[in-house]
Amino acid sequence: MTIATIDGKVVLEAVNKAVEEHGATIDELIPILNDVNRTLGYLPANALDEISRRLRVPKSQLFSVSSFYRMFSTKPRGKHVVQFCESAPCHVVGGRQVWASLLDHLKIGPGETSPDGNWTLITTSCLGVCGVGPVIIIDDDIYGNVAPDQIAEILARYSETRE
Amino acid sequence: MKYYRSHVLVCVDPDCLHRGAHEALDAFQDELVAQGLIDEVQVLETSRIGACSQGPEMMVYPEGVHYAGYTVDDIPFIVEEHFLKGRVAKKFELPAETAIDEELSAPTPKEMRVVLRNCGQIDPENIEDYIAENGYMGLAKALTSMTPEQVIDEVLASGLRGRGGAGFPTARKWQFCRASAGQVKYVICNADEGDPGAFMNRRVLEGDPHAVIEGMIIAAYAIGSSQGYVYCRAEYPIAVQTLNIAIEQARAMGFLGQNILGTDFSFDLEVRMGAGAFVCGEETALMASIEGKRGEPRPRPPFPAVSGLWAKPSNVNNVETYANVPQIITNGAAWYAGFGTEKSKGTKTFALAGDVKHTGLIEVPFGLSLREVVFDVGGGIKDDKGFKAIQTGGPMGGCLPEAYLDLPVDYESLTAAGSMMGSGGLVVMDDETCMVDIARFFMEFTQEESCGKCTPCRVGTKRILEILDRICGGEGREGDIELLETLCEQIKQDSLCGLGQGAPTPVVSTLKHFRDEYEIHIREKRCPAKVCKALIRYEILPEFCTGCTVCARNCPTAAITGERRQTHLIDVDTCIRCGICMQVCNFNAIVIR
Ligand SMILES: Cc1cc2nc3c(=O)[nH]c(=O)nc-3n(C[C@H](O)[C@H](O)[C@H](O)COP(=O)(O)O)c2cc1C
Ligand code: SF4
Ligand code: SF4
Ligand code: SF4
Ligand code: FES
Ligand code: FES
């Protein structure tokens, strides 16, 4: 393995934990990928190598699976991940303006990570909480009934408290 | 996704903010961190939790305890009492009736609660509560006094049809699966609920998980299966958690596992999570996903009833379909068939969304008219605007105009009108909605969610989207409408799965019912609803503008100029048409042209 040992160690640990929890069989592949993606923030190549070895699944199949599902990312993500619900019910209650405001404040496009590594902006489809749309999620925090002029203040909470 | 023990909804509406909601919220977060509870308690910001008179307010779920009137200084006390010691902090508790459930309110006269009967009424994490409401009685009846064939006959006589979209008779499906050769068979619950705006299944899973579990056990008995899976989308962590608790409890009570209720029937259940792919709701894709593969649909036949999960006979039904089963067995087919229309029996849950006064979950008997649903149950259009259209059937469904409001809600009528039942999303649109924009919107969704396996769906949806983008962008051409029609027909004909086959429906239905809007966009380069950005302009009315500068300070692109107390001006070229200025202007001085 070519990457720094510290990274490799963290990666190995994450994979170990997930495989132990779910068992090393192919039908547990998606739960395992989910856990690792969650722990590391994305699926680095060496994590996929390790999973491939442990589950005896060809790497080609792993890549094909991990690129299929939206929850998995093979690229590193920013410190904070902002998800925007782009589905119709949120759209018709003002989602469009919220989106414009997000783009404007983050200065990145959908799927992009800011150069300082602080933000990744992604869109998601309905999160099932349309009753309080428009909806955005930052990391694990769900914000409902978001208005465009709240965006600056919501984002500011993350730059203040967690940097 | 993490699992949380508690979910706290904190109101951040202006009323509450004025009373210090923000400070209290920050203090709350800090206290959770300090007490090491931050990973167990999820804090959600919402609005209008309650009476709006004693804010700040918060609701703690699953207990449903409603706190109000506290200050920053009270936070440590509340956290300690409620979250550490597990006691209600009585001092700040509001009586339950002042709390409103934004998703599910008390039934209106035209509603009828069968599937949702227990939601919000019982503690989903306590199996005793469910049993007290005649839970697991259907299972006991089936196992001890009915043969599997009799169970199937009862379900057949009830007229129950699949609630996942297509409306296929449930008992027929079970029959096919039962008749398939092989010892190993699977019973699968489709809880992928990906249709935007639809959260009926989530609510049932979170509010009454045992009804789904009991339905699945009865189905397994009827089919001859000993293993089941619930495939739940990853966006529903609370549903997954509730289900796991319920399965555990059902096992402990002997409703799951070996020799259920002392009979020689055995069955067990596992929850599988998706990973964010809409197409996994399609049954063959769903099974591929459980197998750890890409969730791509495959051609049918072979149908799952013959060769499904791991090539074994499998039965896939929707959450709501299963949730109906226990009551059909307990109360009898005739009782169930007493609701609904000739061909659509029973009730259906819907998620009402969009521009209707009362959004949220409803459950109505089949046969109610769309008008009754929108105006009687939904309370009519928000802000007393006019009704324009209702979208039924989710992203593969269609938009129906006012002329169809008296249509009865049942499988056949909606299909005949060019839309479909789908899983139960209903999006109501007022007269300020642009139908071309809506069609484009749905197309964007299906285009993004197309798994790409077959060309007509992958390429066709993209082309349609390009054309719609052009039309909304003010660059529509003569012939576009005809081109759209041809493309829609091709995709519908040549796609492998329901996603591709249904993807054109929003376009076809809006072309049929709102063709003039397309024509105005294309020929006059106008958006009659004033929605499509390229076709509108924001303007300040000098006679109303007081020169308060609020708009200029809020404009993200500095497109507004003007001195204090002087009329302001918007520069058309710099303006990105975000609409913020119009929202913040207190004098209604900004209009769309
Ligand atoms: C693209 C696509 C998405 C679907 N999503 C769902 C879904 O989220 N939930 C569901 O129950 N059925 C969904 N279906 C329908 C399923 O394929 C299947 O027909 C259904 O689960 C059968 O259950 P039922 O007979 O109880 O309706 C979807 C179909 C397609 C083509
Ligand atoms: S119709 Fe679309 S979603 Fe369905 S299999 Fe083909 S490409 Fe995939
Ligand atoms: S906010 Fe309204 S009133 Fe104030 S300057 Fe802008 S347009 Fe004029
Ligand atoms: S619409 Fe947006 S960009 Fe245009 S003037 Fe108003 S605030 Fe500025
Ligand atoms: S549409 Fe946004 S949460 Fe449902
Ligand atoms: S404004 Fe907060 S509860 Fe009403």
Side-chain angles (χ1 to χ4, degrees):
Chain A
M1 249 181 261
T2 51
I3 39 157
T5 37
I6 173 79
D7 269 345
K9 237 164 107 187
V10 174
V11 167
L12 267 185
E13 261 169 35
V15 173
N16 267 338
K17 195 159 160 274
V19 173
E20 255 163 49
E21 167 131 9
H22 298 284
T25 59
I26 169 79
D27 53 304
E28 298 290 350
L29 175 60
I30 288 167
I32 290 171
L33 289 176
N34 231 329
D35 279 12
V36 175
N37 192 78
R38 177 123 208 136
T39 321
L40 304 175
Y42 73 113
L43 296 169
N46 50 345
L48 292 180
D49 284 345
E50 181 64 15
I51 296 172
S52 153
R53 199 178 62 76
R54 298 282 295 270
L55 266 60
R56 290 177 223 283
V57 177
K59 254 200 307 197
S60 58
Q61 186 182 340
L62 268 187
F63 279 114
S64 124
V65 170
S66 53
S67 60
F68 184 82
Y69 297 94
R70 191 180 10 226
M71 297 233 159
F72 303 147
S73 168
T74 46
K75 281 187 290 189
R77 285 187 171 166
K79 214 186 272 173
H80 303 295
V81 179
V82 181
Q83 300 184 55
F84 169 79
C85 169
E86 60 175 355
S87 288
C90 282
H91 180 75
V92 297
V93 293
R96 178 203 317 266
Q97 285 84 350
V98 171
W99 178 242
S101 179
L102 269 177
L103 290 180
D104 185 58
H105 282 97
L106 292 173
K107 309 227 176 325
I108 48 175
E112 292 176 7
T113 298
S114 61
D116 61 7
N118 271 336
W119 304 102
T120 296
L121 178 62
I122 53 177
T123 57
T124 164
S125 63
C126 177
L127 299 151
V129 287
C130 335
V132 293
V135 172
I136 62 171
I137 301 190
I138 303 184
D139 302 336
D140 284 326
D141 309 327
I142 304 184
Y143 296 86
N145 290 320
V146 178
D149 53 0
Q150 289 174 339
I151 294 294
E153 183 262 337
I154 293 176
L155 293 177
R157 289 185 213 174
Y158 293 82
S159 8
E160 281 160 23
T161 52
R162 308 201 189 171
E163 254 165 42
Chain B
M1 288 260 178
K2 272 187 215 160
Y3 294 138
Y4 295 98
R5 177 162 66 91
S6 297
H7 299 265
V8 180
L9 302 182
V10 180
C11 172
V12 288
D13 268 7
D15 281 359
C16 279
L17 289 179
H18 282 143
R19 296 196 201 91
H22 230 169
E23 295 70 20
L25 180 62
D26 288 343
F28 186 59
Q29 302 259 23
D30 291 348
E31 190 64 21
L32 289 177
V33 173
Q35 301 289 355
L37 292 167
I38 195 76
D39 290 332
E40 295 176 36
V41 179
Q42 186 179 32
V43 182
L44 310 173
E45 308 197 0
T46 60
S47 75
R48 283 171 282 120
I49 293 175
C52 310
S53 53
Q54 350 195 4
E57 303 197 10
M58 64 161 113
M59 286 289 286
V60 186
Y61 287 105
E63 304 91 314
V65 176
H66 189 177
Y67 291 122
Y70 48 83
T71 67
V72 177
D73 302 331
D74 303 317
I75 292 293
F77 172 72
I78 295 180
V79 170
E80 180 174 331
E81 282 297 301
H82 196 117
F83 299 96
L84 277 181
K85 297 187 179 156
R87 300 192 295 230
V88 175
K90 286 264 184 270
K91 195 169 152 196
F92 303 104
E93 192 197 8
L94 280 188
E97 57 270 26
T98 48
I100 31 171
D101 183 334
E102 282 208 31
E103 285 180 359
L104 182 66
S105 31
T108 52
K110 297 208 165 155
E111 279 186 73
M112 160 91 218
R113 300 262 162 101
V114 174
V115 173
L116 297 174
R117 71 180 178 129
N118 286 333
C119 288
Q121 307 295 317
I122 65 170
D123 176 0
E125 298 191 359
N126 186 353
I127 192 170
E128 311 273 358
D129 272 27
Y130 179 67
I131 293 172
E133 298 293 332
N134 296 338
Y136 290 105
M137 240 168 82
L139 177 65
K141 185 171 168 189
L143 290 193
T144 56
S145 69
M146 296 167 88
T147 63
E149 289 82 3
Q150 282 171 333
V151 171
I152 293 180
D153 285 344
E154 194 73 19
V155 175
L156 189 64
S158 77
L160 178 66
R161 297 170 65 171
R163 300 291 193 249
F168 192 82
T170 303
R172 293 253 177 264
K173 215 183 235 184
W174 293 8
Q175 257 165 359
F176 290 137
C177 194
R178 176 166 184 82
S180 289
Q183 284 300 306
V184 180
K185 294 177 183 175
Y186 296 105
V187 165
I188 300 167
C189 175
N190 189 340
D192 200 46
E193 196 168 54
D195 281 11
F199 51 90
M200 306 80 53
N201 289 175
R202 170 173 70 74
R203 198 51 204 247
V204 172
L205 293 169
E206 289 175 7
D208 198 13
H210 288 288
V212 181
I213 295 172
E214 186 183 354
M216 289 185 76
I217 308 173
I218 295 172
Y221 174 68
I223 288 160
S225 155
S226 58
Q227 179 64 46
Y229 294 94
V230 181
Y231 185 86
C232 189
R233 69 194 295 235
E235 288 86 347
Y236 287 180
I238 307 168
V240 171
Q241 183 188 11
T242 316
L243 261 174
N244 277 321
I245 294 171
I247 289 173
E248 195 99 334
Q249 292 182 347
R251 233 179 248 141
M253 300 281 271
F255 297 131
L256 280 173
Q258 294 296 315
N259 302 100
I260 296 174
L261 296 174
T263 65
D264 55 11
F265 170 62
S266 303
F267 177 71
D268 215 335
L269 205 49
E270 260 180 60
V271 181
R272 283 311 161 101
M273 256 208 270
F278 173 73
V279 75
C280 285
E282 197 278 338
E283 53 191 18
T284 60
L286 183 152
M287 293 185 294
S289 181
I290 297 182
E291 291 172 5
K293 301 188 187 133
R294 285 166 77 93
E296 282 175 355
R298 59 155 178 80
R300 295 172 306 178
F303 285 95
V306 175
S307 173
L309 188 59
W310 292 298
K312 307 287 186 212
S314 306
N315 179 73
V316 183
N317 277 128
N318 172 259
V319 170
E320 186 177 340
T321 312
Y322 286 121
N324 274 300
V325 171
Q327 293 181 77
I328 290 174
I329 301 296
T330 310
N331 303 330
W335 166 80
Y336 193 79
F339 313 117
T341 64
E342 193 199 334
K343 288 187 176 161
S344 304
K345 299 292 187 198
T347 60
K348 177 81 194 80
T349 60
F350 291 99
L352 254 187
D355 303 319
V356 69
K357 274 197 190 113
H358 312 305
T359 56
L361 288 189
I362 60 166
E363 180 172 359
V364 294
F366 282 110
L368 225 61
S369 69
L370 284 171
R371 188 186 302 281
E372 288 171 295
V373 170
V374 175
F375 290 91
D376 297 341
V377 180
I381 308 298
K382 229 187 254 174
D383 303 328
D384 294 313
K385 291 186 190 150
F387 170 91
K388 180 155 189 182
I390 181 162
Q391 212 274 349
T392 79
M396 285 99 73
C399 296
L400 300 174
E402 194 161 6
Y404 287 76
L405 272 178
D406 292 309
L407 203 69
V409 178
D410 63 51
Y411 291 99
E412 279 73 23
S413 304
L414 287 178
T415 307
S419 185
M420 64 177 208
M421 177 67 70
S423 62
L426 289 179
V427 186
V428 178
M429 301 168 204
D430 68 20
D431 50 13
E432 291 179 7
T433 314
C434 169
M435 299 315 287
V436 187
D437 175 63
I438 289 294
R440 188 188 61 86
F441 200 81
F442 280 107
M443 218 52 220
E444 214 168 41
F445 178 84
T446 38
Q447 192 267 320
E448 207 164 283
E449 297 295 345
S450 162
C451 78
K453 187 169 174 172
C454 43
T455 322
C457 171
R458 186 186 67 239
V459 179
T461 52
K462 199 169 247 159
R463 287 210 54 206
I464 292 189
L465 185 59
E466 280 163 10
I467 298 171
L468 292 175
D469 271 339
R470 234 180 36 221
I471 297 177
C472 292
E475 282 163 25
R477 308 177 197 136
E478 278 309 317
D480 275 351
I481 293 184
E482 292 70 21
L483 190 54
L484 282 175
E485 282 171 335
T486 317
L487 281 168
C488 286
E489 193 52 36
Q490 279 170 359
I491 300 173
K492 199 170 153 188
Q493 294 294 324
D494 302 337
S495 289
L496 175 61
C497 85
L499 193 152
Q501 290 154 10
T505 318
V507 180
V508 172
S509 66
T510 47
L511 272 174
K512 178 167 171 208
H513 302 302
F514 302 94
R515 202 183 187 87
D516 55 326
E517 274 187 51
Y518 281 84
E519 290 168 352
I520 294 174
H521 278 75
I522 296 172
R523 298 196 186 134
E524 300 174 27
K525 306 282 182 261
R526 247 183 350 106
C527 174
K530 299 181 178 170
V531 171
C532 296
K533 281 186 182 181
L535 303 175
I536 56 168
R537 267 187 324 162
Y538 284 83
E539 263 179 40
I540 296 179
L541 300 173
E543 59 273 37
F544 290 107
C545 176
T546 64
C548 72
T549 75
V550 164
C551 60
R553 278 183 283 128
N554 280 283
C555 173
T557 58
I560 308 181
T561 49
E563 295 296 317
R564 179 167 280 282
R565 282 192 274 283
Q566 309 260 312
T567 298
H568 281 47
L569 198 71
I570 297 177
D571 178 49
V572 189
D573 296 326
T574 330
C575 169
I576 55 166
R577 299 167 177 89
C578 69
I580 290 179
C581 55
M582 193 158 134
Q583 285 191 355
V584 296
C585 175
N586 289 316
F587 304 94
N588 296 327
I590 303 184
V591 293
I592 302 178
R593 282 281 152 84

